[in-house]
Amino acid sequence: LYIGDVGQATWEEIDVLAPGVREASFGWSEMEGDACFGGRDCDPTAHIAPAVSYAHADGETGHCGVVGGYAYRGAAGSLPEGSYLLADYCSRTIWGVPASELQRGRATPALVAQVPERFGRVQSFGQDDAGELYLLTDGGYVLGIGAA
């Protein structure tokens, strides 16, 4: 299970819950990303570390809130099979991560696209019966992802 976990102040993350696991701690409210929140004294080893984390102030990007997506299972597009997509609400950035990396516990996202400002900000992802993925924006758009 891939979980888009909106951070508290400075970090966003994607957490992974392994098959069969029913209870887990991802660190709320002691941790944010890989660090103890607000200088608190905490034990990071007591929690499952995020598979992906990124800072709000990553250069000039203006990231602010992760939007978790889906692993791509379609056949018509240009995305590699099993690529997990995520986005950031404020920066309108979309990244892809091989699901196999997420399952190992640590992944480095690669830029897939930047949603043009005229479409609005990414609010959610959708998936059709064929496994093709879509973005839903606050501008009222439904945009296909990865079409050839």
Side-chain angles (χ1 to χ4, degrees):
L1 178 63
Y2 307 128
I3 304 162
D5 185 353
V6 174
Q8 298 178 68
T10 57
W11 288 90
E12 302 299 312
E13 61 189 69
I14 298 293
D15 299 318
V16 178
L17 188 62
V21 175
R22 299 281 181 221
E23 294 182 21
S25 172
F26 296 107
W28 175 260
S29 67
E30 294 180 354
M31 305 279 300
E32 186 176 30
D34 293 314
C36 298
F37 179 68
R40 294 179 185 166
D41 186 25
C42 71
D43 179 9
T45 64
H47 311 290
I48 297 171
V52 173
S53 60
Y54 66 90
H56 284 192
D58 185 10
E60 298 293 321
T61 58
H63 302 316
C64 75
V66 69
V67 179
Y70 290 91
Y72 181 68
R73 303 285 186 235
S78 60
L79 296 171
E81 175 76 14
S83 293
Y84 176 79
L85 297 186
L86 63 139
D88 185 82
Y89 176 76
C90 288
S91 67
R92 300 175 326 279
T93 303
I94 305 166
W95 296 279
V97 178
S100 60
E101 287 185 24
L102 286 175
Q103 293 162 7
R104 284 195 297 272
R106 202 65 180 165
T108 303
L111 180 66
V112 170
Q114 189 79 32
V115 177
E117 193 171 334
R118 71 180 182 275
F119 292 118
R121 297 176 185 210
V122 178
Q123 288 196 311
S124 187
F125 286 85
Q127 183 178 37
D128 67 17
D129 290 342
E132 299 302 325
L133 300 181
Y134 300 85
L135 288 174
L136 289 71
T137 73
D138 63 2
Y141 289 90
V142 177
L143 306 170
I145 303 172

